Amino acid sequence: MRILEAVPESVLFLYVENDRAKNNLIQRMELKGLDRGRLIFGGALPYAEYLARYRVADLFLDTSPYNAGTTASDALWADLPVITFMGSSFSSRMGASLLNAIDMPELIASSQSEYESLAISLANDPDKLAEIKSPIIFTNRWG
């Protein structure tokens, strides 16, 4: 919610199957005085359509304390930058492992506040985001 507050034109796109989770997120948005329309919920799609979603996003915000693994890898293959917060457990280090593998440690945060600052900074700097998002960069890094 702090990232949404700091980046007023942003939306948060989430895969959520659980109505209770959706309602909790909507309620939290409303409590913060944010437009609930900035939450976009997506469901399951065929694989090609699922991957196409990543092409219209600007940033992939990896979860904590349980990081994305295959999902973050899919995002990176689709040239979508992933920001992660590396924890101390295996499940909280998967995103960092992927980013280190493609030589992008600058997208790994070591604290919650650093994670939020990084996301806000990139979201508010379209030139830097475009540079990071360039398919040439990812193609070269993936080999």
Side-chain angles (χ1 to χ4, degrees), residues 8-139:
E9 300 299 315
S10 65
V11 298
L12 182 61
F13 183 88
L14 299 163
Y15 176 82
V16 180
E17 292 181 326
N18 180 308
D19 284 337
R20 185 173 179 189
K22 286 180 188 179
N23 292 334
N24 285 341
L25 287 165
I26 291 168
Q27 182 181 35
R28 189 72 164 153
M29 288 285 285
E30 291 172 344
L31 285 172
K32 286 286 203 175
L34 299 171
D35 177 6
R36 67 187 278 175
R38 293 175 62 197
L39 282 177
I40 301 170
F41 298 106
L45 289 174
Y47 189 66
E49 292 176 49
Y50 152 77
L51 288 178
R53 282 183 181 161
Y54 291 128
R55 297 276 183 199
V56 298
D58 293 317
L59 285 172
F60 181 106
L61 302 178
D62 196 9
T63 58
S64 180
Y66 190 90
N67 287 172
T70 302
T71 308
S73 179
D74 289 343
L76 290 167
W77 277 108
D79 298 317
L80 179 60
V82 173
I83 296 172
T84 192
F85 167 29
M86 184 171 69
S88 57
S89 68
F90 170 78
S91 61
S92 66
R93 300 173 76 82
M94 291 184 288
S97 179
L98 288 167
L99 290 167
N100 278 320
I102 60 168
D103 195 28
M104 295 192 80
E106 67 273 18
L107 298 180
I108 303 169
S110 59
S111 68
Q112 182 68 35
S113 61
E114 186 181 332
Y115 173 86
E116 291 174 24
S117 293
L118 180 57
I120 292 165
S121 173
L122 285 174
N124 286 317
D125 188 345
D127 293 334
K128 179 68 173 173
L129 190 55
E131 177 186 322
I132 290 172
K133 197 173 178 179
S134 170
I136 296 168
I137 291 174
F138 281 113
T139 301

